Amino acid sequence: MLHRLSIRDIVLIDKLNIDFKNGLCVLTGETGAGKSILLDSLGLALGARADSGLVRHGSPKGSVSAEFDLPANHPFWDILADADIEREEDTLVLRRVVNADGRSRAYINDQPVSVSLLKQAGAALVEIHGQFDTQGLMNPATHRGLLDIFGNLGKLAAQTKTAFKDWKKVEKERIEAEAALEKARADEEYLRHVVEELTQLAPQEGEEADLAAQRQKMMHGEKLLDGMKQAHGELSNHKGVETMLRNALRHLERIAEKAEGSLNEVIETLDKASEYTSQGIQLLERASNDVDLDPRHLEAIEERLFALRGAARKHDVPVTELPGLKDRFEAQLNAVEAGDSALQDLRAQEVEKRTAYITIAEKLGAERRKTAQGLDKAVNHELGPLKLGGATFGTTLQKLEQADWNETGCDRIAFEISTNPGAPLGPIAKVASGGELSRFMLALKVVLAQADPIPTLVFDEVDAGIGGATAAAVGDRLGKLAEEVQVLVVTHSPQVGARGNHHLRVSKSESNGSVTSTIRALSDDERTEEIARMISGEHVTTEARAAADTLLNAV
């Protein structure tokens, strides 16, 4: 429930802290005292549109904080968990700060949040109704949800939603598969041609780099061979390096014993040099023999290289991807051949999912029809005490065309009314007057009180345009509703005001040229005086006080 509302620098309110209790809390006051400002402030904390005009004149900013006490199992906590906002036991604070330029910031438990999240949170905590409310009873979009709440059909509705999503998911896959198969079939001849072409080409991994290296080597073959011949000549001229090294070694080996080991390292080094020189000459001769100067071989390499690069350009891929490209085209070709089978499987799945959806949706529809009878009976039972005995409330369920089926089911649901005996039912927004609409809405809320998870209801002059016994009946219904949820009602009706468990009075005062609205809880004597004022007007009479006592004692 709403525990406290703290307002700072909003319109005529300077600084105000209001404590609320459970039950029925009535707010009264002279016209223009600031009751609408109070509701605007609450709406601001619940995510309503911010406006620079809400900030008190001369103040840089205004703020509103709404503190709630909620049971641990209230569904609102799921919203908080989904938003990764820390929970502070069972206390919750929604806060909104509005700058003088109209920009605003939103907070939940002092953590910055988006205004949309604040609005989502507010909608789960407080429901505000006015005489010409368009977001509740008058809006057919809400009727299905209210019916499901009354019948406790949430689980069945969730199953229907899941079944619809499963069906549409497979349907989408089937449509995409059909389009892909159609396109693949159109490209089938081209795919076969490409696969055959790439099969004949038979590109290999790393082939381009290897061919390019061979081509480069052959293009410079004569220069390479000439250089190697010159190197071989330098190694072989005269006696040759190898012979010279062997001769030097023989001379040193003859005198090595007389050198007392000083020539050992020299001999070892020259021996290795002789060995390496021999190996080098052999490798040089082998390399010379490997030089390919055959122009036909060079031509073949170039043709192969150009063929690979031409295929790569044709398919707009690097040469290195040609082997994988062939595999991909073969897979597409295989998909064409296997497409019919896969498509048949998807079509079978679609039929299965559609059947499952229809089954659960029809079950939900049947339960909704059964629930509608109970709801109609309960609401019509409430109409008599609200002086709408000649009126009728009815819930209509109309089968939708398949194209209009959706995740909520196969039925269009609407609340309709008739305000005169024998008259046909019609849309609430078109049939009911403002006063009748508010009482229809009140009757519905009384019936839904135990099922609806919203803990706080606010009624803004729901009794406007009625009086006497009808106003007393409205007060009685509000009191009954307050046994289940917290109810705040802004009223000018003494019959409704007398029915409250708590009474707050809004007043306006002027000091030093500044007008300020305040609100405070009334004592029993003050409450009698306020009810008397509501009865007689500005000048409270003895008779009005007596009538006020009668109203208060009748509760």
Side-chain angles (χ1 to χ4, degrees), residues 497-515:
R499 189 63 177 80
N501 304 114
H502 319 286
H503 197 140
L504 301 175
R505 187 175 191 275
V506 182
S507 60
K508 186 167 60 176
S509 61
E510 184 176 350
S511 177
N512 298 323
S514 177
V515 178

Side-chain angles (χ1 to χ4, degrees), residues 381-450:
H381 179 73
E382 292 293 328
L383 297 182
L386 289 172
K387 308 306 177 185
L388 289 169
T392 303
F393 174 90
T395 306
T396 62
L397 286 87
Q398 179 184 359
K399 280 285 186 181
L400 294 170
E401 297 293 331
Q402 179 173 334
D404 297 322
W405 291 355
N406 55 64
E407 61 185 21
T408 65
C410 302
D411 300 296
R412 180 181 288 109
I413 300 172
F415 295 155
E416 296 185 335
I417 61 170
S418 167
T419 55
N420 296 303
L425 295 174
I428 290 178
K430 294 182 179 180
V431 176
S433 65
E436 290 171 334
L437 175 64
S438 63
R439 281 178 280 161
F440 272 110
M441 180 269 295
L442 181 56
L444 189 62
K445 282 300 175 184
V446 169
V447 171
L448 293 173
Q450 291 184 337

Side-chain angles (χ1 to χ4, degrees), residues 5 7 10 13 36-46 54 64:
L5 189 66
I7 307 172
I10 298 295
I13 298 175
S36 62
I37 299 174
L38 183 67
L39 293 184
D40 287 342
S41 298
L42 176 59
L44 195 63
L46 300 176
L54 291 172
V64 183

Side-chain angles (χ1 to χ4, degrees), residues 92-103:
L92 173 73
V93 179
L94 308 186
R95 183 162 65 94
R96 188 84 170 277
V97 179
V98 184
N99 295 330
D101 61 5
R103 291 180 298 175

Side-chain angles (χ1 to χ4, degrees), residues 74-87 92 108 117:
H74 193 276
F76 171 81
W77 297 119
D78 294 334
I79 298 176
L80 216 62
D82 291 341
D84 291 327
I85 295 176
E86 185 176 349
R87 175 175 171 177
L92 173 73
I108 297 180
L117 178 59

Side-chain angles (χ1 to χ4, degrees), residues 452-505:
D452 197 335
I454 296 177
T456 300
L457 300 178
V458 179
F459 294 90
D460 183 15
E461 299 189 18
V462 70
D463 49 17
I466 60 174
T470 304
V474 169
D476 182 62
R477 295 296 94 183
L478 286 169
K480 182 178 178 181
L481 182 59
E483 294 173 4
E484 302 293 340
V485 295
Q486 181 188 40
V487 178
L488 280 61
V489 57
V490 176
T491 181
H492 288 288
S493 168
Q495 291 90 341
V496 174
R499 189 63 177 80
N501 304 114
H502 319 286
H503 197 140
L504 301 175
R505 187 175 191 275

Side-chain angles (χ1 to χ4, degrees), residues 197-209:
E197 187 178 69
L198 291 175
T199 300
Q200 291 177 356
L201 184 62
Q204 303 297 317
E205 294 288 343
E207 186 178 7
E208 181 191 23

